[in-house]
Amino acid sequence: MVEQANELILDILPLSAQTARLVRVYGTVPCVALPGTLPAPEGGSLALTELGDYCFSEKPRSLPAPDALCRYAVGADGAVRLTRAFGLAVGQKPARRYDFDLDAPAENTPELHPVCGSFLEEVTLPDSVQVIGSCAFYNCRSLRLLTVGSSSLTVGSDVFLNCFALETLRVQAAPEQPTGLFALVNNITEAVQAQFWPADAPAPLAALWYPAYWEDIEETPAHILLHTFSGQGYHYRQCFLDNKFLPAEYDAIFPQGHDADDAAVMAMLCFARLRYPWQLTEAAAGHYRAFLAANTDRVFARLLKAQDTDSIRALLALDVLDKAAFASAAALAAKLFIYKSAQLNGVVRVRNNANSAAFNTLTECDRCLVAFHFQSKSNLLQIRRFKTRLSNNPNFPVGNCVLYPNFNKLTSHSSQPQAVALDFFKPFFNCRYNGV
């Protein structure tokens, strides 16, 4: 049976008690969603309970013999079918001892592309997975998202070694459930975000950031090993009991100090807790709001770089920005998106006059960046007129166009062209701001 080019191919090692271990994955897409059950060669089904050592590594080690494996094809619709069992294609009869056809041509086995190493970007594990073997994601430098089920996990050593792009662990369970998050975050020393996001929920129920930390080991003259930790990341990772997340202990760490931690990560931590305030007390929220208000530029820089408009809308809704922070964010938005204009379908630069040609060009764009250039305060009236024409035009693609202002420049002369627009995000993101 020939595998299709768009199918996901799994090499599976059957284990005892109707369970199985993933050995290798082949395919042409960097995002993998593994099935929870597989048809057994002898009938019945196998539960996928383990990821083997080095299974997503570019250089696997100690692979089982081909005649010990079963190969499965997973279609785009999630259907799983057995294609090879213990070295034989499905439907192929084993050779008899007296069959000596030495001139028979070799079997034409298609070359498969392994989904591993830097090719891998996202992995979704089923609830049935309970064990992640050592170095399972070793050197997966492009892996950015790992989604796991609600079951507890036993995790080997160095599972995420050199996974420099990994930024999100998504747990498909409620925050109060026991999960495998404790085992996962304690295998990662770099900063990482964790989300409790059940499969049937429209948004995460809780989001947590775990800052990076460093462990130092010093041996005293008495041959006693002293462990010291730099940063609060280690302490955040211990806020679990019986694999259940403890929000009160997590929130109690922030007021103790965070000078040794990355301020940008700590700002994202505050934003995540305020955005999804699961069991967040007013006292803890006060600490988070104060720090976030002083570091909104760090959060904006991260969100604008990712073009995460949903998160930007959520940040604006928290009402933690004053006028100075608003102006700073606007300037940063203009700078980032002007230089990334190649990613937009259209860029309209309105210079000294909001003329009809620029207006007509804008209404024809599916997704545009409107960059207002002005050199004096006298052009403020032109921009206001332009804005009025936009709001009165039924053909204007409001949901797909973005305007960026800079309130600092609206009240002063400038000899350099500056990207400006009125009411930062207000017409498109329902932002509340009493600005210029």
Side-chain angles (χ1 to χ4, degrees):
M1 190 173 292
V2 180
E3 291 86 2
Q4 302 298 319
N6 60 345
E7 287 182 322
L8 194 67
I9 307 301
L10 310 179
D11 278 350
I12 298 293
L13 178 65
L15 304 174
S16 59
Q18 301 297 306
T19 62
R21 175 187 300 153
L22 178 67
V23 175
R24 206 69 174 149
V25 178
Y26 303 92
T28 57
V29 292
C31 302
V32 174
L34 299 177
T37 58
L38 310 161
E42 300 85 3
S45 62
L46 299 174
L48 182 62
T49 58
E50 299 184 20
L51 301 188
D53 298 348
Y54 294 91
C55 66
F56 286 104
S57 173
E58 201 166 301
K59 297 180 179 179
R61 303 180 185 180
S62 303
L63 290 176
D67 58 1
L69 299 176
C70 293
R71 175 164 291 179
Y72 295 86
V74 183
D77 58 352
V80 183
R81 58 188 177 88
L82 179 67
T83 61
R84 297 183 67 86
F86 308 115
L88 298 175
V90 172
Q92 179 183 354
K93 296 182 179 180
R96 293 170 294 183
R97 288 188 301 170
Y98 48 83
D99 287 342
F100 297 101
D101 191 358
L102 301 180
D103 296 328
E107 182 182 356
N108 184 19
T109 303
E111 184 177 355
L112 299 176
H113 180 272
V115 181
C116 64
S118 297
F119 180 74
L120 182 67
E121 295 181 3
E122 296 181 9
V123 177
T124 300
L125 304 182
D127 285 343
S128 58
V129 171
Q130 301 174 3
V131 178
I132 300 179
S134 298
C135 300
F137 298 99
Y138 173 60
N139 270 350
C140 293
R141 299 172 185 267
S142 300
L143 177 65
R144 63 177 184 269
L145 171 63
L146 174 65
T147 302
V148 299
S150 58
S151 61
S152 299
L153 292 173
T154 300
V155 178
S157 60
D158 299 325
V159 170
F160 302 105
L161 187 62
N162 295 338
C163 293
F164 302 117
L166 182 60
E167 60 182 17
T168 305
L169 300 172
R170 184 171 295 164
V171 182
Q172 294 182 319
E176 65 272 12
Q177 292 181 244
T179 65
L181 183 59
F182 173 73
L184 293 174
V185 296
N186 280 279
N187 222 282
I188 304 172
T189 58
E190 297 298 321
V192 66
Q193 178 189 198
Q195 299 175 340
F196 287 98
W197 194 339
D200 57 349
L205 303 182
L208 316 166
W209 273 87
Y210 292 91
Y213 74 94
W214 298 267
E215 180 180 4
D216 297 321
I217 302 177
E218 181 182 356
E219 184 176 2
T220 67
H223 302 291
I224 298 175
L225 297 180
L226 299 178
H227 291 252
T228 58
F229 299 96
S230 299
Q232 295 281 29
Y234 175 80
H235 302 290
Y236 278 108
R237 287 164 169 81
Q238 307 313 307
C239 298
F240 293 87
L241 179 63
D242 296 332
N243 290 324
K244 293 183 180 180
F245 170 62
L246 302 177
E249 284 74 3
Y250 180 93
D251 294 331
I253 297 174
F254 188 81
Q256 299 175 10
H258 37 75
D259 294 338
D261 296 297
D262 186 346
V265 174
M266 299 309 294
M268 291 300 298
L269 183 151
C270 297
F271 172 51
R273 283 298 283 144
L274 292 170
R275 183 181 183 183
Y276 305 108
W278 183 76
Q279 293 192 10
L280 179 64
T281 64
E282 288 295 331
H287 292 293
Y288 290 141
R289 291 183 67 87
F291 187 86
L292 182 59
N295 293 273
T296 50
D297 56 333
R298 303 179 190 274
V299 179
F300 260 115
R302 192 181 190 104
L303 300 182
L304 288 170
K305 185 177 181 180
Q307 299 189 31
D308 188 350
T309 55
D310 289 338
S311 295
I312 292 174
R313 187 183 299 111
L315 178 59
L316 296 174
L318 291 175
D319 281 336
V320 294
L321 277 76
D322 57 14
K323 186 173 181 178
F326 225 95
S328 176
L332 178 62
K335 180 180 178 181
L336 286 177
F337 279 86
I338 284 176
Y339 287 110
K340 291 189 175 184
S341 60
Q343 300 178 11
L344 302 174
N345 292 338
V347 178
V348 178
R349 288 180 174 83
V350 181
R351 294 190 178 274
N352 292 331
N353 294 305
N355 54 46
S356 298
F359 179 79
N360 293 334
T361 302
L362 177 62
T363 57
E364 295 173 359
C365 294
D366 292 330
R367 183 172 180 230
C368 299
L369 167 69
V370 184
F372 290 97
H373 293 256
F374 73 105
Q375 295 181 344
S376 68
K377 290 186 291 186
S378 62
N379 289 307
L380 180 58
L381 180 59
Q382 293 285 347
I383 297 176
R384 285 176 174 167
R385 290 175 178 172
F386 191 82
K387 174 191 170 186
T388 301
R389 294 185 65 184
L390 292 181
S391 60
N392 293 335
N393 191 319
N395 297 321
F396 177 57
V398 174
N400 296 323
C401 292
V402 184
L403 290 84
Y404 297 107
N406 186 328
F407 291 104
N408 285 341
K409 297 297 182 180
L410 286 175
T411 57
S412 64
H413 293 273
S414 174
S415 59
Q416 300 294 328
Q418 180 67 37
V420 176
L422 288 178
D423 296 335
F424 176 54
F425 289 125
K426 187 174 182 179
F428 312 111
F429 298 139
N430 298 320
C431 166
R432 300 193 307 275
Y433 177 68
N434 297 321
V436 178

